[in-house]
PDB file of all heavy atoms in Angstrom:
ATOM      1  N   PHE A  31      -5.076  37.036  17.033  1.00  0.00           N
ATOM      2  CA  PHE A  31      -3.902  36.182  17.212  1.00  0.00           C
ATOM      3  C   PHE A  31      -4.271  34.755  16.860  1.00  0.00           C
ATOM      4  O   PHE A  31      -5.411  34.336  17.076  1.00  0.00           O
ATOM      5  CB  PHE A  31      -3.455  36.150  18.689  1.00  0.00           C
ATOM      6  CG  PHE A  31      -2.975  37.437  19.250  1.00  0.00           C
ATOM      7  CD1 PHE A  31      -3.791  38.221  20.043  1.00  0.00           C
ATOM      8  CD2 PHE A  31      -1.680  37.864  19.015  1.00  0.00           C
ATOM      9  CE1 PHE A  31      -3.344  39.392  20.588  1.00  0.00           C
ATOM     10  CE2 PHE A  31      -1.219  39.042  19.560  1.00  0.00           C
ATOM     11  CZ  PHE A  31      -2.049  39.813  20.347  1.00  0.00           C
ATOM     12  N   ILE A  32      -3.303  34.018  16.390  1.00  0.00           N
ATOM     13  CA  ILE A  32      -3.401  32.568  16.337  1.00  0.00           C
ATOM     14  C   ILE A  32      -2.091  32.055  16.899  1.00  0.00           C
ATOM     15  O   ILE A  32      -1.013  32.541  16.552  1.00  0.00           O
ATOM     16  CB  ILE A  32      -3.707  32.021  14.928  1.00  0.00           C
ATOM     17  CG1 ILE A  32      -3.945  30.521  15.001  1.00  0.00           C
ATOM     18  CG2 ILE A  32      -2.629  32.375  13.932  1.00  0.00           C
ATOM     19  CD1 ILE A  32      -4.581  29.918  13.759  1.00  0.00           C
ATOM     20  N   SER A  33      -2.197  31.145  17.825  1.00  0.00           N
ATOM     21  CA  SER A  33      -1.019  30.650  18.514  1.00  0.00           C
ATOM     22  C   SER A  33      -1.107  29.136  18.590  1.00  0.00           C
ATOM     23  O   SER A  33      -2.184  28.568  18.768  1.00  0.00           O
ATOM     24  CB  SER A  33      -0.969  31.248  19.918  1.00  0.00           C
ATOM     25  OG  SER A  33       0.084  30.675  20.657  1.00  0.00           O
ATOM     26  N   GLY A  34       0.028  28.471  18.482  1.00  0.00           N
ATOM     27  CA  GLY A  34       0.012  27.020  18.538  1.00  0.00           C
ATOM     28  C   GLY A  34       1.194  26.460  19.288  1.00  0.00           C
ATOM     29  O   GLY A  34       2.172  27.151  19.572  1.00  0.00           O
ATOM     30  N   GLY A  35       1.092  25.164  19.601  1.00  0.00           N
ATOM     31  CA  GLY A  35       2.178  24.472  20.276  1.00  0.00           C
ATOM     32  C   GLY A  35       2.586  25.122  21.573  1.00  0.00           C
ATOM     33  O   GLY A  35       3.763  25.423  21.768  1.00  0.00           O
ATOM     34  N   ASN A  36       1.633  25.351  22.481  1.00  0.00           N
ATOM     35  CA  ASN A  36       1.893  26.043  23.750  1.00  0.00           C
ATOM     36  C   ASN A  36       2.613  27.367  23.527  1.00  0.00           C
ATOM     37  O   ASN A  36       3.611  27.672  24.161  1.00  0.00           O
ATOM     38  CB  ASN A  36       2.693  25.165  24.712  1.00  0.00           C
ATOM     39  CG  ASN A  36       1.828  24.067  25.274  1.00  0.00           C
ATOM     40  OD1 ASN A  36       0.621  24.203  25.352  1.00  0.00           O
ATOM     41  ND2 ASN A  36       2.450  22.963  25.652  1.00  0.00           N
ATOM     42  N   ARG A  37       2.097  28.098  22.579  1.00  0.00           N
ATOM     43  CA  ARG A  37       2.604  29.420  22.188  1.00  0.00           C
ATOM     44  C   ARG A  37       4.021  29.354  21.617  1.00  0.00           C
ATOM     45  O   ARG A  37       4.800  30.289  21.740  1.00  0.00           O
ATOM     46  CB  ARG A  37       2.512  30.404  23.348  1.00  0.00           C
ATOM     47  CG  ARG A  37       1.081  30.669  23.758  1.00  0.00           C
ATOM     48  CD  ARG A  37       0.978  31.773  24.772  1.00  0.00           C
ATOM     49  NE  ARG A  37      -0.379  31.870  25.242  1.00  0.00           N
ATOM     50  CZ  ARG A  37      -0.875  31.188  26.277  1.00  0.00           C
ATOM     51  NH1 ARG A  37      -0.107  30.379  26.940  1.00  0.00           N
ATOM     52  NH2 ARG A  37      -2.131  31.326  26.628  1.00  0.00           N
ATOM     53  N   ALA A  38       4.377  28.202  21.021  1.00  0.00           N
ATOM     54  CA  ALA A  38       5.688  28.075  20.374  1.00  0.00           C
ATOM     55  C   ALA A  38       5.753  28.950  19.136  1.00  0.00           C
ATOM     56  O   ALA A  38       6.809  29.429  18.749  1.00  0.00           O
ATOM     57  CB  ALA A  38       5.958  26.615  20.014  1.00  0.00           C
ATOM     58  N   TRP A  39       4.612  29.153  18.518  1.00  0.00           N
ATOM     59  CA  TRP A  39       4.548  30.039  17.365  1.00  0.00           C
ATOM     60  C   TRP A  39       3.304  30.907  17.489  1.00  0.00           C
ATOM     61  O   TRP A  39       2.307  30.500  18.077  1.00  0.00           O
ATOM     62  CB  TRP A  39       4.559  29.270  16.041  1.00  0.00           C
ATOM     63  CG  TRP A  39       3.436  28.268  15.911  1.00  0.00           C
ATOM     64  CD1 TRP A  39       3.468  26.964  16.274  1.00  0.00           C
ATOM     65  CD2 TRP A  39       2.133  28.510  15.383  1.00  0.00           C
ATOM     66  NE1 TRP A  39       2.269  26.356  16.031  1.00  0.00           N
ATOM     67  CE2 TRP A  39       1.418  27.290  15.459  1.00  0.00           C
ATOM     68  CE3 TRP A  39       1.486  29.628  14.851  1.00  0.00           C
ATOM     69  CZ2 TRP A  39       0.110  27.146  15.031  1.00  0.00           C
ATOM     70  CZ3 TRP A  39       0.174  29.485  14.420  1.00  0.00           C
ATOM     71  CH2 TRP A  39      -0.493  28.256  14.509  1.00  0.00           C
ATOM     72  N   THR A  40       3.396  32.107  16.972  1.00  0.00           N
ATOM     73  CA  THR A  40       2.310  33.071  17.066  1.00  0.00           C
ATOM     74  C   THR A  40       2.260  33.900  15.798  1.00  0.00           C
ATOM     75  O   THR A  40       3.297  34.300  15.272  1.00  0.00           O
ATOM     76  CB  THR A  40       2.532  34.038  18.252  1.00  0.00           C
ATOM     77  OG1 THR A  40       2.613  33.281  19.441  1.00  0.00           O
ATOM     78  CG2 THR A  40       1.409  35.030  18.364  1.00  0.00           C
ATOM     79  N   VAL A  41       1.056  34.145  15.331  1.00  0.00           N
ATOM     80  CA  VAL A  41       0.843  35.068  14.224  1.00  0.00           C
ATOM     81  C   VAL A  41      -0.216  36.056  14.703  1.00  0.00           C
ATOM     82  O   VAL A  41      -1.238  35.663  15.256  1.00  0.00           O
ATOM     83  CB  VAL A  41       0.359  34.350  12.949  1.00  0.00           C
ATOM     84  CG1 VAL A  41       0.098  35.342  11.827  1.00  0.00           C
ATOM     85  CG2 VAL A  41       1.358  33.298  12.510  1.00  0.00           C
ATOM     86  N   ALA A  42       0.045  37.336  14.505  1.00  0.00           N
ATOM     87  CA  ALA A  42      -0.892  38.384  14.933  1.00  0.00           C
ATOM     88  C   ALA A  42      -1.440  39.103  13.712  1.00  0.00           C
ATOM     89  O   ALA A  42      -0.877  39.021  12.619  1.00  0.00           O
ATOM     90  CB  ALA A  42      -0.194  39.367  15.856  1.00  0.00           C
ATOM     91  N   SER A  43      -2.542  39.826  13.907  1.00  0.00           N
ATOM     92  CA  SER A  43      -3.169  40.552  12.801  1.00  0.00           C
ATOM     93  C   SER A  43      -2.239  41.623  12.247  1.00  0.00           C
ATOM     94  O   SER A  43      -2.312  41.967  11.078  1.00  0.00           O
ATOM     95  CB  SER A  43      -4.490  41.163  13.241  1.00  0.00           C
ATOM     96  OG  SER A  43      -4.305  41.982  14.370  1.00  0.00           O
ATOM     97  N   ARG A  44      -1.380  42.138  13.099  1.00  0.00           N
ATOM     98  CA  ARG A  44      -0.341  43.071  12.652  1.00  0.00           C
ATOM     99  C   ARG A  44       0.967  42.633  13.298  1.00  0.00           C
ATOM    100  O   ARG A  44       0.978  42.207  14.463  1.00  0.00           O
ATOM    101  CB  ARG A  44      -0.689  44.505  13.068  1.00  0.00           C
ATOM    102  CG  ARG A  44      -1.915  45.029  12.344  1.00  0.00           C
ATOM    103  CD  ARG A  44      -2.074  46.537  12.441  1.00  0.00           C
ATOM    104  NE  ARG A  44      -1.794  47.088  13.747  1.00  0.00           N
ATOM    105  CZ  ARG A  44      -2.555  47.984  14.365  1.00  0.00           C
ATOM    106  NH1 ARG A  44      -3.658  48.401  13.795  1.00  0.00           N
ATOM    107  NH2 ARG A  44      -2.230  48.459  15.536  1.00  0.00           N
ATOM    108  N   PRO A  45       2.067  42.725  12.590  1.00  0.00           N
ATOM    109  CA  PRO A  45       3.340  42.252  13.144  1.00  0.00           C
ATOM    110  C   PRO A  45       3.711  42.883  14.486  1.00  0.00           C
ATOM    111  O   PRO A  45       4.287  42.225  15.343  1.00  0.00           O
ATOM    112  CB  PRO A  45       4.360  42.618  12.058  1.00  0.00           C
ATOM    113  CG  PRO A  45       3.572  42.739  10.806  1.00  0.00           C
ATOM    114  CD  PRO A  45       2.211  43.202  11.220  1.00  0.00           C
ATOM    115  N   ASP A  46       3.353  44.161  14.696  1.00  0.00           N
ATOM    116  CA  ASP A  46       3.700  44.817  15.961  1.00  0.00           C
ATOM    117  C   ASP A  46       2.857  44.321  17.135  1.00  0.00           C
ATOM    118  O   ASP A  46       3.141  44.639  18.285  1.00  0.00           O
ATOM    119  CB  ASP A  46       3.603  46.340  15.825  1.00  0.00           C
ATOM    120  CG  ASP A  46       2.219  46.803  15.419  1.00  0.00           C
ATOM    121  OD1 ASP A  46       1.556  46.091  14.641  1.00  0.00           O
ATOM    122  OD2 ASP A  46       1.798  47.894  15.866  1.00  0.00           O
ATOM    123  N   HIS A  47       1.813  43.531  16.876  1.00  0.00           N
ATOM    124  CA  HIS A  47       0.977  42.990  17.949  1.00  0.00           C
ATOM    125  C   HIS A  47       1.478  41.650  18.461  1.00  0.00           C
ATOM    126  O   HIS A  47       1.005  41.174  19.489  1.00  0.00           O
ATOM    127  CB  HIS A  47      -0.467  42.824  17.471  1.00  0.00           C
ATOM    128  CG  HIS A  47      -1.185  44.125  17.305  1.00  0.00           C
ATOM    129  ND1 HIS A  47      -2.280  44.252  16.501  1.00  0.00           N
ATOM    130  CD2 HIS A  47      -0.973  45.353  17.837  1.00  0.00           C
ATOM    131  CE1 HIS A  47      -2.710  45.496  16.537  1.00  0.00           C
ATOM    132  NE2 HIS A  47      -1.928  46.186  17.338  1.00  0.00           N
TER     133      HIS A  47
END
Side-chain angles (χ1 to χ4, degrees):
F31 295 100
I32 186 166
S33 174
N36 287 334
R37 296 188 187 89
W39 58 269
T40 301
V41 178
S43 55
R44 293 195 318 226
D46 59 325
H47 288 158

